[in-house]
Amino acid sequence: MTHERRQDRSDNPWTAGDLYLRAVAQRTGLEHLTLATREGLCLSGTGDKALGDRVAAVAPLFVEEPATLRAGLIDELTDGQPMQVWRVTVRDRPFYLIGFGALTDMSEEVQGAFDRIFARPTPRTSN
């Protein structure tokens, strides 16, 4: 008998993404994680949904055009904690994984997990 390491599961990719990010945040000591599109939309995240939406909205500007952000905006969002952004790929499209809290290196395991969670469903074949 094998031991199942995950206790919370979902077949819904968005819910599975939330559960996975919650586990990553706990493991790394990050206060918050958000997976965002390059257009600034939140796909998955941990904690407060409104905060995730705000973090996702500023992530593209934080990465691509930091000079255009109002002074102090990031500190307000993160409550003074450092904000980190990692680029990840989902279904061959670039996304941002945004975290704040303890500075950490994000492992390649995260990309592999996103590949599994957000994989296109395999078509069912009839027998």
Side-chain angles (χ1 to χ4, degrees):
M1 174 189 256
T2 61
H3 175 69
E4 174 57 45
R5 63 183 165 83
R6 295 178 293 167
Q7 303 209 357
D8 294 324
R9 320 178 126 253
S10 176
D11 290 332
N12 177 308
W14 314 117
T15 303
D18 292 345
L19 294 170
Y20 176 71
L21 290 179
R22 186 180 326 141
V24 170
Q26 289 172 347
R27 189 170 60 246
T28 60
L30 291 167
E31 292 291 320
H32 184 88
L33 277 172
T34 296
L35 178 64
T37 68
R38 289 181 52 189
E39 296 78 26
L41 301 174
C42 179
L43 290 182
S44 289
T46 62
D48 181 22
K49 172 86 169 103
L51 177 60
D53 288 341
R54 290 192 307 272
V55 169
V58 300
L61 293 174
F62 179 78
V63 172
E64 306 298 335
E65 304 176 47
T68 64
L69 292 175
R70 177 177 54 82
L73 178 63
I74 299 302
D75 284 340
E76 288 175 24
L77 280 174
T78 66
D79 206 20
Q81 299 179 71
M83 185 162 121
Q84 303 167 83
V85 179
W86 300 272
R87 293 173 197 255
V88 295
T89 304
V90 175
R91 293 187 180 180
D92 298 321
R93 291 185 53 217
F95 288 83
Y96 299 117
L97 179 59
I98 308 104
F100 48 89
L103 292 175
T104 186
D105 289 326
M106 197 55 65
S107 74
E108 290 181 19
E109 168 255 337
V110 171
Q111 179 62 64
F114 286 144
D115 291 343
R116 284 188 308 279
I117 291 168
F118 295 106
R120 293 188 192 283
T122 54
R124 294 180 187 221
T125 57
S126 53
N127 294 339

